[in-house]
Amino acid sequence: MPCLLVLASSLWGGNRKILRIACTSNIVKSAKHTRHHGHIIAESVTAPLGCIHAAFIFVMTMYTQLYNRLSFGWNTVKIDMSAARRDPLPIMPFGLAAFAATLFALGLALGTTIAVGMLFFIQMKIILRNKTSIESWIEEKAKDRIQYYQLDEVFVFPYDLGSRWKNFKQVFTWSGVPKGDGLDWPIREGCHPYSLTIEQLKQKADKRVRSVQYKVIEDYSGTCCPLNRGIKTFFTSPCTEEPRIRLQKGEFILATRGLRYWLYGDKILDDSIKEDVSRIRGWFPRNCVEKCPCDAETDQAPEGEKKNR
């Protein structure tokens, strides 16, 4: 980790904000292969299997109990839930309440099988690719950056060893403990431990270069789904955990990305505000701002990048 900080400092002049990004690279990788990752996968396999077994028992129970209570006529089918038509009577009573409880338990078993089964496939996809969702997003942005500037370089994700079997063996071992100490991980041939960090730093620098300055022309309260900004703005509110920011007329914002009716950016703070907070960023409606003349002539709107993906 100290080498990582020194490398980032030499590349970017000791900027503290960039150093935090450099630390994030190893933290993300450290959080992926935890000591209990294999146990989580085992639970995501055994839980659906147990629920499938329980569902089979519930289905067979309802089938046998209802079969002994069915009576067929010429045009009707009757179900008598009071008692079974067999001698001797079943040991376990099965009335209407028991039938409802069994049906409810069957629904829970099937729902758990689907939910936990999907979790298993997602986890296995991450393990076989040796790549978390955040790292996949970083790789996608790296390809977009190279294509946008038409650079003669190729970004290779360093932690994907090039073989699914090799990636699989990183987590599943005979000892039950994943490989690695939480800080240093095997990397692909031709890469080095700081490939992902350097790419993140490049993306942060590119993000600042490609940001577009906007001026606030109407106040915005910071609500999630504003009713007074139009129907389309209301129904297209971004479904993310990222915050909304309050805007006041006359303020300036650097937009880094956006949708058709929403933008995301950092508020340009005054010197008096900078003493209390270091950064204010979030989503805001597009119709509350207008592009500054200097950026309107030279820059493209942030949504252009989104639409071309």
Side-chain angles (χ1 to χ4, degrees), residues 105-143:
L106 176 62
L108 293 180
L110 295 178
T112 303
T113 301
I114 296 173
V116 182
M118 292 177 61
L119 176 63
F120 168 74
F121 283 109
I122 293 174
Q123 292 293 324
M124 285 302 302
K125 180 181 178 181
I126 291 175
I127 291 175
L128 294 178
R129 299 171 59 191
N130 211 12
K131 191 184 306 176
T132 63
S133 300
I134 296 177
E135 292 165 345
S136 299
W137 173 238
I138 295 173
E139 183 181 28
E140 181 182 349
K141 290 194 296 183
K143 295 178 181 178

